[in-house]
Amino acid sequence: SDNMKVKLESDSKALADVVVIGYGTARKSDLTGSVATVKSKDFNKGLVSSPEQLINGKVSGVQIMSNSGSASAGSTIRVRGGASLNASNDPLIVLDGVPLEQGGISGNSSNFLSMINPSDIESMTVLKDASSTAIYGAQGANGVVLITTKRGKIGEAKFTYDGMAAWQYQGKRIDILNLREFSEYYNDFVNNGWISQDQARPDFSDPSILGRGTNWQDAVFRTAFQHQHQVAAQGGTEKVKYYVSGGMMDQDGTIIGSNFKRLNVRANLDAQLKKWFKIGMNTTYTRTKERLLHADGTEGVITYALTTPPDIAIYDVDGNYTSVVRDGWSSPNPIAQALSKDITMKRNKLTGNIFADITPIKNLTWHTELGYDLSWSDAEVFTPTMHLGNWNQDTNFASWQKNTSKYWQFKNYITYNGSIKKHSFTAMLGQEAWRSDWDYTYQANANLPNNTIHLPSLGSSTPSIKSGFGVTTMSSFFTRETYNYDDRYLATYTFRRDGSSNFGPENRWASFHSFAASWRFSNEKFIKSIAGKWLSNGKIRIGWGQTGNANIGAYKWGTTVTKFLVGQTSVAYRPTNIPNTSIKWETQEQTNIGLDLGLFNDKIGFTLDWYNKVSTDMLMPL
């Protein structure tokens, strides 16, 4: 028989991975911008109730900070720091191609990301530099987080159950005076004449016999229990693939009185109807119920816990809440404040898209998609009458607010992939339009007959009734071209033109460009001969791009009117503000130089980025 010689060459699977880059995908080895992808196998394990917690600490340049100890507390996410003084600094969140939280009412303590079940997520990609975010134009100034959920796979139905029970606690306290230290501090004021002798307290005459008193921080924080469960089915054939899931979560906050419950169902479907025709859908429905707290600020539970003296007990001898007023200083009992005031939020969210991929000729694909994000919520605040020792709240108060928001997105883009010998290229041309509507109604009243029924209409004071609505629209055209020569030299150009109703007719449209190039030097023959045994990947990236920020709210460029009384009976109207029809975009330019290294078949990876990020034309209210 003839001798046969077989030569095996290493092939890094990591570099062959396909990652989502916005309006398409790319091989990881072909990336020219600063893009980081974390897949499900590398997610943070353990106590995870919201998607951003999956990648906390996993991506350089991305800071994720919880805002408070309340259940489902919102997280602050910053990609390479803040870029605006008055507009939003939050990155754009895109779930399976649908941007979330466009327009609408924001500012509550809830975290809209907590509406997404982390168990449904397959991967999360962060676009960090402007050369990669420019494809999102006016929405990409603060970075982009792309969330991709799990999809069906060929094979028999695979059923899974994920369950978790956990406890969490606040691991750090601010060092404050205990009762003995507080009494010594108080006595020093008396002895030094800073307060009069007649205010000396006999119960502080011998601090050595006093204990630690009440530690209000320990009283308001607790070890919080959480459990969550999910069942899912995944499978399919070559023609139809599916993924369906349902889950629930019940989480207590580390501050007493806070709680978050979530129910969710998801269905993802892909159907290859013809060789040239594929349709699909992603849809998820989520319902949450939260008990919130006024935790922060000058009148928040945390502030009262830090400023209430340790000589005050939580309960009096009869087991009732207690509090004191002395020398003009007063504070409600922080425990009573947390448990008596009722702040609840019920939210419903339906998000998803329907899409089709048509391939009329080889290598050419037309993608058309209709996306939606529909939300409706009810918020209730009830402050009861309270009698806490010698601190009294004699008037109760109730308010209701109903919010609805509707977001619709329609986009089309055509992608062509071609290759000629060592040259390969991709050209994409697309159009997108979206509309975001929101409205709310609010009613409030005081002096309700009792603390049991929380109907503002039962109040005997003057009712407060408000309502409002808003609309934001955007139309966009975009293109992206990539070029690859022999897997060594790569280049990307991106252009997007956006028109937003948030700006006046004089500057409604803006254009955003980006350029990026990279040299994969590890594929050079002279490098392989020197370091081929241990250097599996080496790439230098250079990029520059422009992005915008349009998140200032609707109709800030125009004039609204305000009603006011003239005398006792007449009503008149006046302009609320001076119009400025020449308002234009906040613009951000970013330059990025990066180095990627993979050692020993990418078992060790190293990424270094230097960037310069400059914001101009920042919008300031006058």
Side-chain angles (χ1 to χ4, degrees):
S1 61
D2 295 334
N3 292 328
M4 182 172 63
K5 186 177 182 180
V6 178
K7 182 180 180 182
L8 299 178
E9 294 184 356
S10 64
D11 180 21
S12 172
K13 292 182 179 179
L15 294 177
D17 280 348
V18 174
V19 298
V20 178
I21 56 173
Y23 305 98
T25 58
R27 290 190 308 165
K28 187 175 181 180
S29 59
D30 291 345
L31 297 176
T32 55
S34 183
V35 177
T37 295
V38 183
K39 293 186 177 293
S40 56
K41 63 183 178 64
D42 299 317
F43 285 160
N44 290 322
K45 304 299 189 289
L47 185 63
V48 173
S49 57
S50 190
E52 76 277 6
Q53 298 166 9
L54 295 170
I55 61 171
N56 196 0
K58 295 283 187 179
V59 182
S60 63
V62 178
Q63 291 80 41
I64 301 173
M65 297 155 286
S66 180
N67 291 336
S68 82
S70 300
S72 79
S75 292
T76 297
I77 304 174
R78 294 292 178 265
V79 178
R80 292 185 169 180
S84 179
L85 293 178
N86 291 279
S88 171
N89 279 300
D90 296 329
L92 177 67
I93 309 294
V94 181
L95 177 64
D96 289 328
V98 180
L100 299 181
E101 205 72 359
Q102 294 286 346
I105 302 172
S106 60
N108 60 58
S109 60
S110 304
N111 177 6
F112 77 92
L113 276 174
S114 65
M115 303 287 285
I116 303 172
N117 187 350
S119 298
D120 283 333
I121 298 176
E122 179 65 30
S123 68
M124 295 180 68
T125 298
V126 182
L127 311 182
K128 295 188 283 187
D129 69 330
S131 67
S132 58
T133 62
I135 193 64
Y136 287 97
Q139 304 168 89
N142 301 314
V144 182
V145 179
L146 306 174
I147 300 175
T148 303
T149 58
K150 297 175 181 177
R151 309 203 68 77
K153 296 180 179 179
I154 297 175
E156 292 186 5
K158 178 183 177 182
F159 295 92
T160 58
Y161 164 77
D162 291 320
M164 181 189 71
W167 288 261
Q168 57 182 338
Y169 66 95
Q170 201 76 20
K172 196 170 185 177
R173 301 282 191 273
I174 295 177
D175 188 18
I176 57 177
L177 301 177
N178 60 34
L179 179 56
R180 181 178 298 178
E181 294 165 337
F182 178 70
S183 64
E184 293 172 347
Y185 180 71
Y186 188 91
N187 290 340
D188 286 342
F189 268 68
V190 176
N191 297 333
N192 288 310
W194 295 333
I195 59 177
S196 62
Q197 287 288 336
D198 60 355
Q199 291 181 300
R201 293 181 53 176
D203 50 335
F204 286 174
S205 60
D206 186 2
S208 64
I209 65 173
L210 299 176
R212 301 187 63 83
T214 303
N215 187 318
W216 289 101
Q217 287 184 95
D218 289 343
V220 299
F221 288 120
R222 66 179 173 184
T223 299
F225 178 63
Q226 168 185 338
H227 64 103
Q228 58 187 44
H229 312 273
Q230 173 173 287
V231 291
Q234 185 180 45
T237 66
E238 292 184 358
K239 296 293 185 181
V240 178
K241 291 178 284 187
Y242 60 87
Y243 173 84
V244 293
S245 70
M248 65 82 63
M249 186 183 74
D250 189 345
Q251 176 187 11
D252 289 331
T254 55
I255 301 178
I256 60 171
S258 61
N259 177 265
F260 175 72
K261 292 183 175 68
R262 179 181 65 210
L263 295 173
N264 60 275
V265 292
R266 167 171 284 278
N268 292 347
L269 178 69
D270 296 284
Q272 191 75 46
L273 302 182
K274 298 285 185 180
K275 287 184 178 180
W276 53 270
F277 185 45
K278 174 185 176 181
I279 63 171
M281 58 163 278
N282 308 288
T283 186
T284 182
Y285 168 74
T286 306
R287 178 176 175 82
T288 63
K289 182 179 180 181
E290 305 169 60
R291 190 179 192 278
L292 304 168
L293 290 172
H294 186 180
D296 308 314
T298 57
E299 295 185 358
V301 172
I302 301 300
T303 299
Y304 285 137
L306 294 173
T307 57
T308 302
D311 62 319
I312 301 173
I314 299 175
Y315 305 100
D316 61 20
V317 293
D318 297 321
N320 300 314
Y321 293 123
T322 185
S323 194
V324 298
V325 178
R326 34 168 117 93
D327 303 325
W329 174 88
S330 65
S331 172
N333 186 313
I335 305 299
Q337 190 80 348
L339 298 180
S340 299
K341 192 172 183 178
D342 196 14
I343 308 175
T344 59
M345 170 79 81
K346 299 176 183 178
R347 294 186 294 169
N348 298 272
K349 194 175 187 70
L350 181 65
T351 304
N353 58 1
I354 303 170
F355 63 88
D357 289 331
I358 301 171
T359 307
I361 60 174
K362 185 180 179 181
N363 297 331
L364 179 68
T365 302
W366 169 31
H367 179 93
T368 181
E369 178 180 327
L370 176 66
Y372 55 89
D373 184 3
L374 313 176
S375 302
W376 57 102
S377 64
D378 297 320
E380 177 184 343
V381 177
F382 182 76
T383 304
T385 56
M386 288 188 287
H387 302 283
L388 309 176
N390 54 0
W391 187 92
N392 298 315
Q393 183 169 285
D394 297 320
T395 303
N396 56 19
F397 171 85
S399 69
W400 281 6
Q401 180 166 320
K402 294 182 180 293
N403 303 326
T404 62
S405 65
K406 300 185 293 292
Y407 171 80
W408 298 97
Q409 174 201 55
F410 181 60
K411 64 183 175 186
N412 295 271
Y413 56 89
I414 298 173
T415 305
Y416 183 79
N417 298 294
S419 61
I420 304 173
K421 296 184 178 181
K422 293 183 178 182
H423 307 270
S424 61
F425 59 91
T426 300
M428 185 266 289
L429 179 66
Q431 160 275 332
E432 181 179 73
W434 59 257
R435 175 187 175 99
S436 178
D437 301 77
W438 61 266
D439 63 77
Y440 81 95
T441 57
Y442 171 88
Q443 57 176 311
N445 210 339
N447 287 321
L448 280 69
N450 56 59
N451 293 332
T452 303
I453 301 177
H454 304 171
L455 289 174
S457 58
L458 298 178
S460 59
S461 297
T462 302
S464 175
I465 300 175
K466 301 177 183 178
S467 63
F469 65 91
V471 178
T472 299
T473 59
M474 182 176 285
S475 183
S476 309
F477 302 92
F478 50 87
T479 184
R480 178 174 57 215
E481 283 74 39
T482 66
Y483 171 74
N484 182 337
Y485 175 73
D486 197 25
D487 275 341
R488 289 184 291 158
Y489 307 103
L490 305 103
T492 303
Y493 169 70
T494 302
F495 171 77
R496 180 161 177 143
R497 184 161 175 80
D498 286 323
S500 173
S501 64
N502 283 355
F503 299 98
E506 296 178 22
N507 290 298
R508 180 151 291 166
W509 289 86
S511 300
F512 305 96
H513 303 263
S514 78
F515 304 88
S518 65
W519 174 39
R520 195 174 172 202
F521 56 84
S522 57
N523 278 358
E524 298 286 356
K525 292 182 179 180
F526 71 93
I527 297 292
K528 285 184 175 181
S529 64
I530 298 173
K533 292 183 179 180
W534 54 269
L535 180 64
S536 50
N537 177 49
K539 183 196 292 182
I540 295 174
R541 296 175 281 104
I542 300 176
W544 170 89
Q546 297 172 317
T547 50
N549 196 340
N551 297 320
I552 61 170
Y555 202 61
K556 293 297 179 69
W557 57 272
T559 305
T560 57
V561 295
T562 300
K563 181 174 69 173
F564 67 101
L565 290 176
V566 179
Q568 298 296 318
T569 58
S570 300
V571 175
Y573 298 86
R574 63 173 176 81
T576 305
N577 60 292
I578 299 173
N580 182 1
T581 57
S582 62
I583 289 177
K584 63 179 182 178
W585 311 80
E586 289 191 356
T587 301
Q588 183 190 107
E589 292 190 6
Q590 192 175 161
T591 302
N592 191 96
I593 300 175
L595 172 66
D596 298 330
L597 291 178
L599 309 178
F600 307 109
N601 202 22
D602 280 345
K603 292 180 180 178
I604 299 175
F606 178 81
T607 298
L608 178 67
D609 277 283
W610 173 91
Y611 65 89
N612 185 37
K613 182 176 175 181
V614 180
S615 297
T616 59
D617 297 328
M618 301 183 81
L619 296 170
M620 305 281 290
L622 181 63

